[in-house]
Amino acid sequence: MHSDRRPRLTPAIADVRRAVRTALSSLPVPAGSAAVPAGSEPLVLVALSGGPDSLALAAATAFEASKAGMRAGAVIVNHNLQDGSADVAAAAAQQARDLGLEPVDIRSVLVGDAGGPESAARDARYAALAEAAAEHGAIRVLLGHTLDDQAETVLLGLARGSGAGSLKGMAADTGQYFRPLLAVPRTTTVQCCEDSGIAAWNDPHNLDTSYTRVRVRQTVLPLLESELGPGIRDALVRTADQAREDAEALDHFAEEMAEDLAEISEAGISLPVRALAANPAALRQRLIRLAVASEFHVSLSRTHTLEIARLVTDWRGQGPIDVPGVRVERRENLLHFSAHSEERDAV
C-alpha cells in the first residue's frame, strides 16, 4: 500500500518531475487515451538502486506516469557484490511499492570478470534489465543517469581518445532505455529525495577510488572546476549534445549513401573506390564501418578502419587486409569485403 504523503512542491521536486513529464510525453504511445482499458496502459520500468538519482526518478515517475496514460513499475538489480546487498535490494523494492509502483521486480545476478569489474557489472545489470522489460512488456526502462554522469562519460571518452562516438555521451532514448534526467544535476536529485522525505541509499562503490569513474567524479572534475572555473560539467554536456548532432547527421548520410553504393553478393559486399575517395574521411570511414557491421556484424576499431581506408587513399598495390572476421581487398575499382576465418584459411 503506497503512502498518501504529499511532499511540498519544491524547486528540486519540480525540476525532476518536469524532466520525467517531458520524457514520457515524447514516447510514441496513446498517452491519456480513453480507448486504452484500465490496467493495459503502456508500462515503463524504473531501474531502481535505492540511490538518490534512481529514487528521485522513481518518485517523479510514480507521480507523472498516470497523467501520461502509462503504468510505472520498478526493477531492482542485486549484483551480489557487497555484504547485505539483498537487504538493500529489498529496501529499494519496498520504497518502490510505497511510491505506488507496480510491478516491482528484484533480479539477482552473478557478475563475471570479463572486461574488468565496472564493465562486468554493467553487462550483468543491463542483461537483467532487458530480461525484466521483455517479461513485463515494458516499452522503456528508465535510467537515473544525470547531467553529472553525462559529463563524466564525455570526459572518460576524451581521455581514451575514443572520438565522436564516445564524446557524444549517453543517448537520452535508445528505443529500449530512456534517461530522463540527463539535463538534471546530481545535486537536484539529492535535494529532491530530501524534500520528498525519502531516505536514499549511498552505494559504497561510489566512494571506491579503484574505479576510474569514481576518480573522475571525486578528483578530476573538481580539479578542472577549481583550475578553469565553474561550469565544466555543463560545458562537457554541451559538447556531448553537439557531437551527437554531428555524429547522427554523418551516420544518416552514410546510411543513405551505402544504399546506393554497396554491391552485395554471396561472396560478400563491395564499395566503389572512386566514391569512397571522393568523400571526406568522416564519411568514408563510416561507410567502411557500416559495410562491415551490416554484412558481418563486426564492429571495427578505429585502427582497423584507418588501415582499410589506406586501400583507398594510399593505394600502392597492397594485398588483402585481415581484420577480425573480415578480409578486405582492393579489386580494381572496388573495395571488397568477405568473411574471413582461420577455419576457411585452413581448408
Side-chain angles (χ1 to χ4, degrees):
M1 183 173 187
H2 79 88
S3 171
D4 289 330
R5 177 183 60 217
R6 294 291 184 269
R8 178 176 61 87
L9 185 62
T10 65
I13 294 175
D15 285 349
V16 176
R17 287 182 180 176
R18 185 181 305 109
V20 170
R21 186 184 316 130
T22 300
L24 296 182
S25 68
S26 71
L27 295 178
V29 296
S33 172
V36 179
S40 61
E41 299 90 348
L43 172 69
V44 294
L45 290 174
V46 177
L48 179 61
S49 68
D53 299 338
S54 64
L55 201 50
L57 175 61
T61 304
F63 185 84
E64 297 289 345
S66 62
K67 298 179 181 181
M70 300 181 197
R71 294 176 294 130
V75 56
I76 299 97
V77 179
N78 174 14
H79 296 82
N80 291 292
L81 293 176
Q82 304 174 50
D83 292 339
S85 63
D87 294 334
V88 172
Q94 187 57 54
Q95 287 178 310
R97 297 186 191 98
D98 289 344
L99 289 167
L101 298 176
E102 176 63 33
V104 175
D105 187 348
I106 298 178
R107 299 268 163 159
S108 182
V109 300
L110 293 177
V111 177
D113 53 12
E118 290 174 277
S119 178
R122 183 170 56 251
D123 290 345
R125 179 168 60 255
Y126 277 97
L129 294 176
E131 288 175 1
E135 289 182 19
H136 293 288
I139 61 169
R140 293 292 192 283
V141 176
L142 306 185
L143 306 177
H145 295 117
T146 65
L147 179 146
D148 297 71
D149 293 308
Q150 184 74 302
E152 293 159 10
T153 299
V154 175
L155 192 58
L156 285 166
L158 182 64
R160 293 171 183 142
S162 303
S166 291
L167 289 183
K168 67 183 181 181
M170 296 176 284
D173 185 6
T174 69
Q176 182 175 20
Y177 301 106
F178 208 130
R179 299 177 173 90
L181 306 183
L182 281 183
V184 177
R186 185 173 293 129
T187 53
T188 299
T189 62
V190 171
Q191 190 64 50
C192 176
C193 290
E194 292 181 2
D195 294 346
S196 301
I198 304 174
W201 172 66
N202 292 307
D203 186 349
H205 281 171
N206 289 335
L207 300 175
D208 186 348
T209 55
S210 65
Y211 294 104
T212 305
R213 185 175 286 270
V214 173
R215 296 196 298 274
V216 169
R217 180 177 304 164
Q218 293 190 348
T219 304
V220 178
L221 275 170
L223 177 62
L224 288 174
E225 291 201 332
S226 171
E227 295 298 322
L228 302 178
I232 292 297
R233 289 172 174 83
D234 289 335
L236 287 169
V237 171
R238 288 196 301 273
T239 297
D241 292 339
Q242 293 167 11
R244 187 178 308 107
E245 291 170 358
D246 292 347
E248 288 174 354
L250 288 168
D251 289 343
H252 175 71
F253 293 145
E255 288 169 5
E256 285 192 335
M257 292 178 63
E259 290 182 5
D260 295 331
L261 297 177
E263 298 179 13
I264 301 174
S265 66
E266 291 184 4
I269 186 171
S270 299
L271 294 172
V273 169
R274 182 175 297 177
L276 290 173
N279 279 287
L283 275 175
R284 177 166 55 248
Q285 287 152 205
R286 275 172 167 78
L287 285 166
I288 291 170
R289 289 196 298 268
L290 185 59
V292 170
S294 62
E295 188 68 14
F296 308 104
H297 310 290
V298 171
S299 180
L300 290 177
S301 69
R302 178 170 174 80
T303 299
H304 289 147
T305 304
L306 292 177
E307 190 63 23
I308 293 169
R310 289 185 63 243
L311 295 176
V312 175
T313 61
D314 192 21
W315 172 246
R316 290 184 172 84
Q318 302 97 309
I321 293 175
D322 292 328
V323 297
V326 182
R327 171 163 288 177
V328 190
E329 58 184 319
R330 180 162 170 168
R331 298 177 179 174
E332 296 182 354
N333 296 320
L334 292 175
L335 201 61
H336 183 72
F337 303 80
S338 58
H340 169 61
S341 66
E342 293 180 1
E343 288 80 4
R344 189 194 70 176
D345 292 343
V347 174

